């Protein structure tokens, strides 16, 4: 079910068993995948999606995402994701999200930054040709902290290697954004997720990776957060920060955790 109300677009979901993690909640990587899908749907409806950008030889690439979650939807729960554009210029767009549970309460927010690149040169593109996107900017509040600078520790405390395979690759023929998230969240073991939940997650995508690339997943604990860099030949592909909150001590629903 999808709704378009002025500048805010809402997609309703029902959480199936296939989308759950071991704790019978919406898996964080699945939430990020749904955020990407809802953003894509809204961009298409606004006439600034993949088909329109392709006319100019461009495409949208997710540059940054941060989620701030009070709780995750539970098995069979009906929930919704709403999205709107907070800011736009000729090189990138800032898009926010609001996650609501079955009874309508806000249970999380997300902030994303999308950059347009030329599909042939892989260099930043100029979006002047779709300047009408500025008319869709919305001042709906998103009361969560913006993503800060992520500084990986050198040397890292934990390192393991991973080679990207066919199932990791998306239609742009590079590694799927959500796949990086899964690799990073696999740094925690199952008992940790039984006792804690991922209350805030930030990731910045820096470079593309492709089929057959072997990367190092390098992680370190910094205070109460896990900072992770996925590196290809010592070049960061992405960097991320994960914050876990004990179950039973869920954050307030305004999700203003720094």
């Amino acid at each position: 079910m999808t709704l378009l109300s002025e500048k805010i677009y809402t997609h309703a979901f029902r959480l199936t068993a296939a989308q759950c993690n071991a704790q019978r909640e919406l898996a964080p990587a699945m939430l990020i995948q749904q955020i990407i899908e809802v953003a894509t749907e809204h961009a298409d409806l606004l006439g600034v999606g993949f088909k329109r950008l392709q006319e100019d030889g461009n495409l949208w690439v997710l540059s940054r995402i941060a989620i701030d979650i009070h709780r995750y939807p539970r098995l069979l729960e009906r929930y919704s994701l709403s999205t709107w554009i907070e800011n736009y210029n000729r090189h990138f767009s800032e898009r926010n999200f609001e996650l609501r549970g079955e009874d309508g309460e806000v249970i999380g927010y997300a902030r994303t930054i999308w950059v347009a690149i030329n599909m042939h040169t892989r260099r930043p593109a100029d979006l002047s040709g779709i300047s009408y996107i500025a008319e869709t900017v919305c001042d709906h509040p998103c009361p969560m902290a913006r993503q800060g600078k992520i500084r990986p520790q050198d040397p890292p405390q934990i390192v393991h290697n991973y080679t990207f395979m066919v199932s990791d690759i998306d239609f742009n023929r590079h590694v799927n954004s959500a796949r990086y998230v899964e690799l990073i969240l696999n740094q925690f073991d199952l008992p940790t997720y039984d006792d804690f939940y991922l209350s805030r997650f930030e990731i910045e995508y820096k470079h593309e990776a492709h089929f057959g690339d072997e990367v190092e997943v390098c992680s370190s604990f910094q205070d109460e957060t896990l900072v992770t860099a996925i590196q290809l030949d010592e070049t960061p592909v992405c960097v991320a920060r994960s914050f876990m909150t004990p179950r039973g001590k869920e954050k307030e629903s305004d999700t203003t955790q720094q």
Side-chain angles (χ1 to χ4, degrees):
M1 177 182 178
T2 57
L3 300 173
L4 182 61
S5 176
E6 298 180 351
K7 299 175 181 179
I8 302 176
Y9 175 77
T10 301
H11 187 125
F13 297 88
R14 180 174 181 269
L15 186 61
T16 67
Q19 297 168 323
C20 286
N21 56 17
Q23 291 72 37
R24 297 190 174 188
E25 299 168 336
L26 177 63
M30 177 61 68
L31 171 60
I32 288 176
Q33 187 63 47
Q34 291 177 345
I35 285 172
I36 294 170
E37 291 171 357
V38 172
T40 300
E41 291 174 359
H42 192 205
D44 287 339
L45 286 170
L46 293 174
V48 295
F50 173 78
K51 185 176 180 180
R52 173 61 186 87
L53 264 65
Q54 189 179 37
E55 294 176 6
D56 300 325
N58 301 326
L59 53 85
W60 288 113
V61 173
L62 181 60
S63 174
R64 291 186 178 191
I65 184 168
I67 61 173
D68 208 340
I69 304 297
H70 170 54
R71 72 166 180 86
Y72 289 87
R74 305 179 181 102
L75 178 62
L76 303 182
E77 182 177 0
R78 297 185 184 278
Y79 62 100
S80 66
L81 263 175
S82 297
T83 185
W84 63 97
I85 297 173
E86 180 182 68
N87 191 20
Y88 159 82
N89 65 33
R90 64 191 182 93
H91 294 301
F92 69 88
S93 172
E94 294 182 73
R95 176 181 286 277
N96 299 336
F97 296 81
E98 184 178 81
L99 178 66
R100 289 183 177 268
E102 193 163 56
D103 61 1
E105 87 278 18
V106 177
I107 57 177
Y109 291 98
R111 290 183 176 273
T112 63
I113 297 178
W114 299 78
V115 176
I117 66 170
N118 182 277
M119 64 178 62
H120 304 296
T121 66
R122 317 307 282 184
R123 302 294 299 170
D126 189 333
L127 297 176
S128 299
I130 57 170
S131 59
Y132 54 85
I133 190 176
E135 300 174 5
T136 68
V137 171
C138 180
D139 61 359
H140 188 73
C142 183
M144 65 170 280
R146 294 179 181 275
Q147 179 173 317
K149 182 72 173 179
I150 303 175
R151 297 181 176 86
Q153 181 175 305
D154 188 24
Q157 298 169 346
I158 308 165
V159 178
H160 74 262
N161 295 333
Y162 184 82
T163 301
F164 291 115
M165 305 303 288
V166 172
S167 61
D168 301 317
I169 307 302
D170 65 15
F171 81 105
N172 286 319
R173 299 184 73 86
H174 60 204
V175 176
N176 184 287
S177 300
R179 186 66 187 116
Y180 294 114
V181 177
E182 292 174 335
L183 284 178
I184 292 163
L185 297 185
N186 281 344
Q187 304 308 294
F188 299 102
D189 59 18
L190 189 58
T192 297
Y193 283 105
D194 289 336
D195 296 332
F196 297 82
Y197 77 100
L198 184 72
S199 56
R200 184 171 175 99
F201 179 79
E202 305 172 4
I203 185 168
E204 179 180 351
Y205 300 99
K206 292 180 171 292
H207 295 283
E208 294 179 305
H210 303 88
F211 172 78
D213 284 345
E214 183 176 342
V215 294
E216 288 185 329
V217 184
C218 306
S219 299
S220 301
F221 285 96
Q222 298 179 10
D223 298 325
E224 297 179 313
T225 64
L226 182 71
V227 175
T228 304
I230 297 180
Q231 299 185 157
L232 175 62
D233 297 329
E234 299 185 355
T235 299
V237 175
C238 65
V239 292
R241 178 163 41 222
S242 310
F243 184 90
M244 305 290 282
T245 293
R247 294 186 181 276
K249 296 183 179 181
E250 284 78 2
K251 299 186 306 179
E252 296 300 322
S253 59
D254 66 0
T255 64
T256 54
Q257 173 76 39
Q258 297 290 328

